[in-house]
Structure formats: C-alpha cells, structure tokens
Amino acid sequence: TLILDSGVKKITLIGGEPTLWSHLFEFNKFCRNLGIKTLIVTNALRFSDDTFWERYKENPNDSAGISLKGHSKSSYKEIAGINDFDSLVSGLKRGLDFFQCGVHTVYSSPDPEGLVDTAKFAKEIGAKHLKIGFCKPTITKKGPDGSFMLPPSQVVNNVLNVYDEVSSIMEDRISFSMNLPLCLWPEEFLELLSSKKTNDNLVPITA
C-alpha cells in the first residue's frame, strides 16, 4: 500500500544476488498483480539450474540487468573466486535470450585487451549491448578501499585505445556508466558518445 500510494511504478531488485532470495517468485507475482514492473540485477548463474529456471519462468521479472563477472574460465576464477564458468555461460545465455537484453561489466584490468575479450564474449553469448562501468572504492570495516582501482588516467587511455575495436565487435551497441570525472576524457570522445543513440544510457557523474 505504501508503495502504491507513493506512485512507484518500477522496483529494482539488487543484491548481493537476488536470485538467491527465497521469496523472489512470490514477490514477482505480487508486484505483477499490482501493476508494478520489476527489474532484476543478476549474475545469471542460477539461471543455469534447470529446476530454478523452470520455476523462474513462471513468475519472472519484467526486465533484467545482467552483470558479466568474467569472459573466460581464468578471468571468472580471478574475479568471482569459483570454478563454475560453464554453468555461468549456460545461465547467461538463458537470461539474455529470455530478456533480449545486454550485459554490464566493470572494467578494472590493467590490460586494455580485457575489454576486447569481454566484448567478444558478450557478442558470442548473445548480448544485445555492452555497458561498461569502472571500479569504484568500496567501504569496508577499515574504511574506503580502492585497491582494485586503476589510476583514472590509465583507465581513460586504455578505453580510448580499444574503443573502436570494442565498438566494432558490438556493432556500435556499447555505452558507459560514467563515474569518472568527464574532464579526464577528450572532448571529442564525449561528443562522439553523446551523438550515438546507443549511448542514451550514458550516465555522467562529474563529482
């Protein structure tokens, strides 16, 4: 009642990993009956479980944001810490086909070729577009932790070096979640992004 009275029309489920929530199916059905749209942000791994997938399709979310945690067995092991890449690929393909959506990845590797490999993998598994974000500091018990972050200038140089190739692989269907100061990017590059309809979701954060 509070949600309806507030005029909320869409709810985003984010985690942790929301597919692990025991009330997911019940919640999705409840929202649908109220006319509220739901979006799930997921790594799609659990979609590889046949039993879960069949139950999920009975009460799915209206849309999905699928996070890509790795583009190979080694990169997935390094980032996620588990050896379940084959299951991940199965879940990703199911989710992408069902929702006809793209994937989002956080770029934090010092090797710009990692973005190229990510784009190739995204295209291979059927992603409709690729959204690229950049690593941010996390808050731990000891305070802010930026140990996974690259120097911003290196991020910019790496992206610029491979942008044309990544864009070509994804047939120009790429966008950025921009959490780096825009002043770090060449003006002509920002103008290029702004001119592309595929970058309508570009979110500049200048602070």
Side-chain angles (χ1 to χ4, degrees):
T1 301
L2 177 62
I3 290 176
L4 288 176
D5 291 343
S6 300
V8 173
K9 301 296 184 183
K10 187 173 184 179
I11 295 175
T12 298
L13 299 177
I14 193 168
E17 174 50 48
T19 58
L20 298 174
W21 185 32
S22 60
H23 301 291
L24 177 61
F25 306 139
E26 179 184 359
F27 180 81
N28 288 348
K29 182 178 181 179
F30 177 76
C31 288
R32 183 172 294 106
N33 289 339
L34 292 178
I36 297 175
K37 302 289 187 181
T38 61
L39 179 150
I40 188 169
V41 178
T42 175
N43 59 29
L45 177 60
R46 206 168 182 206
F47 289 164
S48 66
D49 182 296
D50 292 341
T51 301
F52 177 87
W53 181 241
E54 291 305 316
R55 290 188 62 202
Y56 179 80
K57 287 190 296 182
E58 294 175 0
N59 287 291
N61 299 93
D62 296 287
S63 57
I66 297 180
S67 301
L68 197 58
K69 302 298 184 184
H71 58 264
S72 64
K73 289 185 177 181
S74 60
S75 66
Y76 184 58
K77 170 65 175 178
E78 180 181 357
I79 294 171
I82 57 177
N83 292 305
D84 208 3
F85 186 70
D86 291 339
S87 293
L88 175 69
V89 172
S90 174
L92 287 168
K93 287 182 176 179
R94 279 179 171 175
L96 290 168
D97 180 65
F98 184 81
F99 289 107
Q100 290 294 296
C101 63
V103 293
H104 177 274
T105 189
V106 176
Y107 174 61
S108 60
S109 169
D111 182 8
E113 289 302 313
L115 276 180
V116 176
D117 293 336
T118 296
K120 290 178 179 178
F121 178 64
K123 184 71 178 298
E124 177 185 326
I125 60 177
K128 300 303 180 184
H129 64 269
L130 172 63
K131 194 168 190 175
I132 302 168
F134 306 111
C135 197
K136 299 179 290 187
T138 57
I139 303 300
T140 68
K141 292 181 179 179
K142 297 180 180 180
D145 180 7
S147 56
F148 293 98
M149 295 180 62
L150 296 174
S153 59
Q154 184 179 357
V155 173
V156 171
N157 288 334
N158 287 357
V159 170
L160 293 176
N161 285 337
V162 298
Y163 174 79
D164 288 342
E165 185 174 2
V166 170
S167 181
S168 176
I169 292 169
M170 292 303 300
E171 299 177 4
D172 215 22
R173 297 192 298 270
I174 63 173
S175 59
F176 292 87
S177 295
M178 192 66 75
N179 62 336
L180 292 177
L182 297 185
C183 61
L184 295 176
W185 300 88
E187 185 175 348
E188 59 271 21
F189 181 69
L190 296 178
E191 291 176 351
L192 174 65
L193 296 185
S194 297
S195 70
K196 295 179 180 293
K197 293 182 179 180
T198 52
N199 283 283
D200 287 342
N201 291 326
L202 177 70
V203 181
I205 301 177
T206 57

